[in-house]
């Protein structure tokens, strides 16, 4: 099983970015923990702050991966283009968020991605990624 985790804008700053919301751990540290925990899964990780690069990565993933775990961050709430990319590929995509976006500002309540993904996991901190991996097993 080959899974790709894609993180969108500002998630490269996890660990120092608004730690009261997103925690103190860097994603690199957490990703190492995930690799140890799910040693039967081939996990890859990609992060970009650029919308078009996230779309290119989704297109590329259709050939290589059994599934994608996507935290599109703020693009979740704005991007018709990322939603279209998800629709364009057959690879199942799980939408994840670290925070419970429904408990935050109203502009975070709308997701362009939720209607086109296989499932959504949000609000469990970094554990949301762990739960998304489990959904493929
Ligand atoms: C986020 C929630 C988004 O609203 C926000 O823009 C992010 C992170 C989350 O993981 O909780 O950057 O996707």
């Amino acid at each position: 099983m080959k899974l790709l985790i894609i993180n969108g804008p500002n998630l490269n700053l996890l660990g120092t970015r608004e730690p009261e919301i997103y925690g103190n751990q860097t994603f690199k540290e957490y990703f190492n923990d995930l690799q140890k925990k799910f040693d039967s899964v081939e996990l890859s990780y990609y992060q970009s702050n650029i919308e078009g690069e996230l779309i290119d990565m989704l297109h590329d993933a259709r050939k290589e991966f059994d599934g994608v775990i996507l935290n599109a961050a703020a693009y979740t709430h704005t991007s018709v283009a990322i939603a279209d990319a998800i629709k364009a590929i057959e690879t199942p995509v799980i939408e994840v968020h670290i925070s419970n976006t429904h408990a935050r500002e109203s502009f975070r309540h709308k997701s362009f991605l939720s209607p086109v993904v296989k499932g959504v996991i949000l609000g469990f901190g970094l554990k949301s990624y762990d739960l998304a991996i489990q959904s493929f097993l």
Side-chain angles (χ1 to χ4, degrees):
M1 166 81 62
K2 286 181 78 174
L3 298 177
L4 172 65
I5 296 175
I6 302 179
N7 273 342
N10 303 304
L11 294 172
N12 52 312
L13 298 183
L14 283 176
T16 53
R17 174 195 182 195
E18 300 181 86
E20 65 289 356
I21 298 174
Y22 300 113
N24 296 302
Q25 204 172 13
T26 68
F27 199 79
K28 228 176 187 175
E29 280 165 10
Y30 182 67
F31 185 70
N32 286 340
D33 295 346
L34 286 177
Q35 281 180 312
K36 279 185 209 136
K37 178 167 178 186
F38 297 101
D39 55 1
S40 64
V41 179
E42 215 179 300
L43 281 177
S44 299
Y45 171 58
Y46 177 76
Q47 190 276 333
S48 176
N49 294 320
I50 299 167
E51 188 174 17
E53 288 186 355
L54 297 169
I55 292 166
D56 285 343
M57 204 60 195
L58 284 164
H59 294 175
D60 292 348
R62 80 188 189 279
K63 296 169 220 145
E64 265 191 70
F65 292 94
D66 302 304
V68 173
I69 293 159
L70 173 66
N71 185 347
Y75 287 137
T76 306
H77 317 301
T78 62
S79 183
V80 175
I82 292 177
D84 282 351
I86 294 168
K87 276 201 273 185
I89 63 171
E90 277 170 22
T91 315
V93 176
I94 306 293
E95 175 184 349
V96 302
H97 299 285
I98 298 163
S99 62
N100 177 356
T101 47
H102 296 287
R104 300 179 62 193
E105 303 96 320
S106 58
F107 62 83
R108 295 185 204 277
H109 299 179
K110 162 89 185 165
S111 168
F112 282 92
L113 313 186
S114 296
V116 299
V117 294
K118 186 169 181 217
V120 183
I121 298 172
L122 57 85
F124 295 97
L126 287 173
K127 198 176 176 196
S128 297
Y129 294 87
D130 179 321
L131 296 170
I133 295 168
Q134 288 187 49
S135 76
F136 283 102
L137 303 179

